[in-house]
Amino acid sequence: MGVKQDIRVAVDAVVFGYESKNNLSVLLIKRGIEPFKGEWALPGGLVMNDESLEEAVERELKEETGITIDYLEQLYTFGKPNRDPRNRVVAVTYFVLVKPNHFTIKADTDAADVKWFNLKELPKLAFDHQLVLDTAKERLKSKLSYQPIGFDLLNDEFPFSDLEHLYMTILEKEIDRRNFRKKMLSFGIIEETDKIEKIGSGRPAKLFRFNKVKFQQLTVNNFHFDIKFV
Amino acid sequence: MGVKQDIRVAVDAVVFGYESKNNLSVLLIKRGIEPFKGEWALPGGLVMNDESLEEAVERELKEETGITIDYLEQLYTFGKPNRDPRNRVVAVTYFVLVKPNHFTIKADTDAADVKWFNLKELPKLAFDHQLVLDTAKERLKSKLSYQPIGFDLLNDEFPFSDLEHLYMTILEKEIDRRNFRKKMLSFGIIEETDKIEKIGSGRPAKLFRFNKVKFQQLTVNNFHFDIKFV
DNA sequence: CCAAAAGTGTTAGGTGTACACCCATGT
DNA sequence: ACATGGGTGTACACCTAACACTTTTGG
């Protein structure tokens, strides 16, 4: 049957965070070891023999970055020979969202440094991680329109304008505020709280909350979240 | 750094074919070796050291089934420990479509037998392949609505009713023929040929053809294939 | 002339899109 | 009173969904 298989399995994560108007970021670590020592890369590492792929991602993110995961799904598996200059490595990549609340970062163990980078100000990335990131950006962009994942990038209670700006930032287009609000509210999955947030100038904003339970009930009854713009 | 990693990487393919009204099938092979010897499983096998994942799927499908691939995309990667009773195996699975023209099967090498199974009459599957198949069915169902993949399950020239039946079979719902035809034709990506097919009873049908080039041109100009039904 | 499947139009209701002014607060 | 961002309504165009009869062929 030919030569014994000699391939490693790794997991890598693309972690997105959103802070304010036009500030969509991704979490990177500065590599402490060769290859690509000193360059920036996606958090990740080899899978251990007895853990699942998801457990591996969660472990690596905890070890390397200390963030709390709000949303996680498998992204894509990259397996071309020569992705890694040392051995052949097949990388199962994951797509992760984090709410601003959970941004807290601790740089302990094997990562020399951890940092959020605005997507508009990225450094050169190690390995084929730019390709992975581009794949994740596409996923984020397309999922935003047919799944309520935007709420995993905002705190539990948020002013409506944050949601608007989030959509405009990710989709990279202008959206009519009135139509956006109307459509979003028409789903009946967002509820008004009795709180009000005053920051900076202008009229204070009511805070809203995503009702996940309501969304799941509706989904069972054949409701489809769908919000598109020209 | 603990114990050396001991994980194998395999590829498996879910190959769909469609023949006639309500006849959506998947290609399975009867396993010639342990474990699960004599049971039915998805075609697939271990990845060789110097081939890409896609090359591995293509090689396995050629070796084991002899079909011609019309559409291929990565499906999902299954990596729980204990999927395989012998070693830990991470399986990168692929989603494949085949036109009726390309159904030709040859059972040569390591597969004891190859066979198309109607999705309504499936045997028990080896490993976690039922889960893989279910994932592929979902993918097929959802992609059908926003990508023109249905045409990769029909011959190049097809009567309109085949397309209708294909959609109804996969989506498992009744669709109004008049509205379906109107909407499908309105995209301008299907053209009439001057051929006519007479089979069985009833009025003979014009044959149509999917214009892929036209579709790609439109896609560049921000056209989105989208065909949904209540 | 009957059976079988192909082919075709209209209407009403709902949804998407475009668009502009008033409101509440801090300075 | 002014600057800043929050909050709201309407009208028209377009698309969706519901629905039934005629045409062409073979037996």
Side-chain angles (χ1 to χ4, degrees):
Chain A
M1 278 294 282
V3 189
K4 190 176 183 326
Q5 194 188 59
D6 183 29
I7 305 180
R8 311 275 186 289
V9 179
V11 290
D12 290 306
V14 181
V15 183
F16 288 113
Y18 177 80
E19 243 176 327
S20 57
K21 213 164 166 168
N22 212 352
N23 204 345
L24 182 63
S25 310
V26 64
L27 196 58
L28 299 178
I29 63 166
K30 190 185 257 176
R31 287 182 60 80
I33 54 167
E34 291 294 347
F36 298 104
K37 182 169 177 174
E39 293 190 36
W40 293 93
L42 297 172
L46 293 184
V47 175
M48 301 200 304
N49 287 327
D50 55 357
E51 67 184 353
S52 71
L53 301 173
E54 285 76 14
E55 282 163 357
V57 189
E58 284 161 21
R59 177 178 51 75
E60 295 282 356
L61 284 180
K62 200 166 165 186
E63 283 175 15
E64 298 184 341
T65 74
I67 56 141
T68 301
I69 294 171
D70 286 299
Y71 179 85
L72 180 142
E73 71 171 40
Q74 192 180 298
L75 178 62
Y76 196 80
T77 299
F78 296 85
K80 276 208 199 58
N82 306 319
R83 287 185 60 253
D84 189 309
R86 296 161 299 181
N87 303 293
R88 178 157 185 197
V89 178
V90 168
V92 185
T93 62
Y94 282 80
F95 173 92
V96 175
L97 304 180
V98 177
K99 301 187 186 215
N101 274 345
H102 298 145
F103 268 27
T104 344
I105 282 174
K106 50 173 177 191
D108 334 335
T109 51
D110 43 305
D113 208 349
V114 191
K115 213 173 132 189
W116 288 99
F117 284 85
N118 188 304
L119 280 185
K120 300 290 174 203
E121 300 159 9
L122 283 177
K124 182 180 163 303
L125 299 186
F127 304 103
D128 58 354
H129 287 182
Q130 185 62 52
L131 173 60
V132 180
L133 178 55
D134 290 342
T135 309
K137 276 163 67 182
E138 271 179 53
R139 177 76 58 96
L140 177 60
K141 219 164 161 170
S142 71
K143 278 230 157 182
L144 202 61
S145 298
Y146 64 92
Q147 284 189 212
I149 56 169
F151 305 109
D152 288 312
L153 286 169
L154 299 177
N155 287 325
D156 291 344
E157 302 188 335
F158 55 87
F160 217 95
S161 58
D162 276 15
L163 194 59
E164 282 167 33
H165 292 310
L166 175 63
Y167 269 76
M168 290 196 274
T169 302
I170 293 175
L171 300 180
E172 298 178 289
K173 56 175 75 148
E174 289 300 306
I175 300 176
D176 184 273
R177 287 167 54 228
R178 292 160 289 189
N179 292 339
F180 179 82
R181 188 175 179 126
K182 212 184 311 171
K183 195 165 174 185
M184 205 42 120
L185 289 175
S186 74
F187 297 144
I189 58 177
I190 297 175
E191 59 200 22
E192 215 174 304
T193 68
D194 49 7
K195 298 193 191 128
I196 286 185
E197 186 180 72
K198 7 192 164 199
I199 34 164
S201 64
R203 178 173 172 173
K206 296 179 205 164
L207 294 184
F208 291 81
R209 181 202 306 275
F210 171 55
N211 188 336
K212 194 169 185 177
V213 175
K214 188 78 177 290
F215 168 69
Q216 284 161 344
Q217 286 170 359
L218 289 171
T219 299
V220 172
N221 294 324
N222 211 23
F223 161 77
H224 289 277
F225 181 84
D226 191 16
I227 186 155
K228 301 221 178 69
F229 298 95
V230 275
Chain B
M1 276 296 282
V3 189
K4 189 176 184 324
Q5 194 188 57
D6 184 28
I7 304 180
R8 311 275 185 289
V9 179
V11 290
D12 290 305
V14 181
V15 183
F16 288 113
Y18 177 79
E19 240 174 327
S20 58
K21 213 164 168 169
N22 211 351
N23 204 346
L24 182 63
S25 310
V26 64
L27 196 58
L28 299 179
I29 63 166
K30 191 186 254 174
R31 287 181 60 79
I33 54 167
E34 293 291 350
F36 298 102
K37 182 168 178 175
E39 292 189 37
W40 294 95
L42 297 172
L46 293 184
V47 175
M48 301 200 303
N49 287 329
D50 54 358
E51 67 184 352
S52 72
L53 301 173
E54 284 76 15
E55 283 163 357
V57 188
E58 284 162 20
R59 176 178 52 73
E60 295 282 355
L61 284 180
K62 202 167 165 185
E63 284 175 13
E64 296 183 342
T65 73
I67 56 142
T68 301
I69 294 171
D70 286 300
Y71 179 87
L72 181 142
E73 71 170 40
Q74 192 180 299
L75 178 63
Y76 197 80
T77 299
F78 295 85
K80 277 208 199 54
N82 306 319
R83 285 185 61 253
D84 189 308
R86 296 161 298 181
N87 305 293
R88 178 158 185 195
V89 177
V90 168
V92 186
T93 63
Y94 282 79
F95 172 91
V96 176
L97 303 180
V98 177
K99 301 187 187 216
N101 274 345
H102 298 143
F103 268 27
T104 343
I105 283 174
K106 49 173 177 190
D108 335 332
T109 51
D110 44 303
D113 207 350
V114 191
K115 214 173 132 190
W116 288 99
F117 284 84
N118 188 302
L119 280 185
K120 299 292 172 199
E121 300 158 9
L122 283 176
K124 185 182 162 299
L125 300 185
F127 303 104
D128 58 353
H129 287 182
Q130 185 61 53
L131 173 61
V132 180
L133 178 54
D134 290 341
T135 308
K137 278 162 65 182
E138 270 179 55
R139 177 77 59 99
L140 177 58
K141 219 165 161 170
S142 72
K143 278 230 158 180
L144 202 61
S145 299
Y146 65 91
Q147 284 190 210
I149 56 169
F151 304 109
D152 288 313
L153 286 170
L154 298 176
N155 286 325
D156 290 344
E157 301 189 336
F158 54 88
F160 217 94
S161 58
D162 275 15
L163 195 58
E164 282 166 33
H165 292 310
L166 175 64
Y167 270 76
M168 290 196 273
T169 302
I170 294 174
L171 299 180
E172 298 177 289
K173 56 175 75 148
E174 289 300 307
I175 300 175
D176 183 274
R177 287 167 54 230
R178 292 162 288 188
N179 292 339
F180 178 82
R181 188 175 179 126
K182 212 182 312 169
K183 197 166 173 184
M184 204 43 119
L185 289 174
S186 74
F187 296 145
I189 57 176
I190 296 176
E191 58 201 22
E192 214 173 304
T193 69
D194 49 7
K195 297 195 192 122
I196 285 184
E197 185 180 74
K198 5 191 166 201
I199 34 163
S201 64
R203 176 173 175 174
K206 294 179 205 162
L207 294 185
F208 291 82
R209 181 203 305 275
F210 171 55
N211 188 335
K212 195 169 184 177
V213 175
K214 189 77 176 292
F215 168 70
Q216 285 162 344
Q217 285 170 357
L218 289 171
T219 300
V220 172
N221 293 325
N222 211 23
F223 161 76
H224 288 278
F225 181 84
D226 192 14
I227 185 154
K228 300 222 178 67
F229 297 96
V230 273

